[in-house]
Amino acid sequence: HIYREKVNLGKITHSREEVLRILEEMQGQYPGADYDLLRKNCCTFSEDFAKRLGLEEAFPSWVSNLASTGAKAVDIVGEERMAQLGDKAFAAADKVVEAIELGGQERTGTPNAGYKFGDLTRGLIVVGRQRTRGPRRGPGFCLCDCFRGIRRSVKQIIRS
């Protein structure tokens, strides 16, 4: 996890005791055994807590965008189909992580760079360029580099 920024959610009007009561209520609704990376995680807890404190308007949507997008993708594909995919689903996740790492390395010039927004796309462009023969044209990128990267990654997943 890489710290992104401090977000001021505003001021609460609850007393310390009221905040503790809210947390006690939430404790039973967020047991560790129910943790789900996409649907019930630290971000969903934080958003729920902010709502209960009356700060839902200030909670930034980018905090939960990645997890909610992943949950929607699983919903579209279906839990049963995801289970059928088994190792291919894990391979797909590995390819995403690999692309993010490549994107961070491309951005900073060093391995193990912390994640920044755009690293996935940047990494897919790198994968696409690896497949392209010939010299790179200028400092920019071609959108087809990104599509080539996606296609290459998907083909590798299918073959696994």
Side-chain angles (χ1 to χ4, degrees), residues 66-123:
L66 181 60
S68 63
T69 300
K72 287 176 190 169
V74 169
D75 290 344
I76 290 168
V77 173
E79 294 280 347
E80 187 175 314
R81 179 66 178 136
M82 289 297 289
Q84 289 172 349
L85 290 172
D87 291 339
K88 291 198 186 293
F90 287 110
D94 288 343
K95 288 296 176 188
V96 169
V97 170
E98 181 183 316
I100 289 170
E101 289 172 352
L102 283 170
Q105 187 170 351
E106 175 79 2
R107 176 177 44 79
T108 64
T110 60
N112 303 319
Y115 173 78
K116 296 275 187 192
F117 181 79
D119 283 350
L120 174 59
T121 302
R122 193 176 290 108

Side-chain angles (χ1 to χ4, degrees), residues 20 25 37 39 43 63 67-68 75 82 96-97 102 111-112 116 119 126 132 137 146:
L20 290 174
E25 285 175 13
L37 183 62
R39 292 184 175 84
C43 296
V63 172
S68 63
D75 290 344
M82 289 297 289
V96 169
V97 170
L102 283 170
N112 303 319
K116 296 275 187 192
D119 283 350
V126 170
T132 306
R137 297 180 191 156
C146 187

Side-chain angles (χ1 to χ4, degrees), residues 2-130:
I2 301 298
Y3 173 78
R4 178 176 169 174
E5 67 185 84
K6 178 180 174 181
V7 177
N8 185 346
L9 298 179
K11 295 187 182 212
I12 60 170
T13 57
H14 300 288
S15 68
R16 177 180 171 84
E17 291 75 27
E18 290 172 319
V19 171
L20 290 174
R21 184 188 51 75
I22 290 170
L23 285 171
E24 285 175 9
E25 285 175 13
M26 294 179 73
Q27 184 177 5
Q29 297 167 356
Y30 288 89
D34 287 355
Y35 183 88
D36 182 308
L37 183 62
L38 301 177
R39 292 184 175 84
K40 200 165 191 179
N41 54 50
C42 58
C43 296
T44 56
F45 172 86
S46 299
E47 186 173 17
D48 186 15
F49 188 41
K51 284 180 183 175
R52 292 174 192 226
L53 293 172
L55 304 170
E56 66 267 14
E57 304 263 337
F59 197 82
S61 61
W62 57 261
V63 172
S64 57
N65 279 349
L66 181 60
S68 63
T69 300
K72 287 176 190 169
V74 169
D75 290 344
I76 290 168
V77 173
E79 294 280 347
E80 187 175 314
R81 179 66 178 136
M82 289 297 289
Q84 289 172 349
L85 290 172
D87 291 339
K88 291 198 186 293
F90 287 110
D94 288 343
K95 288 296 176 188
V96 169
V97 170
E98 181 183 316
I100 289 170
E101 289 172 352
L102 283 170
Q105 187 170 351
E106 175 79 2
R107 176 177 44 79
T108 64
T110 60
N112 303 319
Y115 173 78
K116 296 275 187 192
F117 181 79
D119 283 350
L120 174 59
T121 302
R122 193 176 290 108
L124 289 170
I125 291 167
V126 170
V127 172
R129 283 185 182 150
Q130 290 172 348

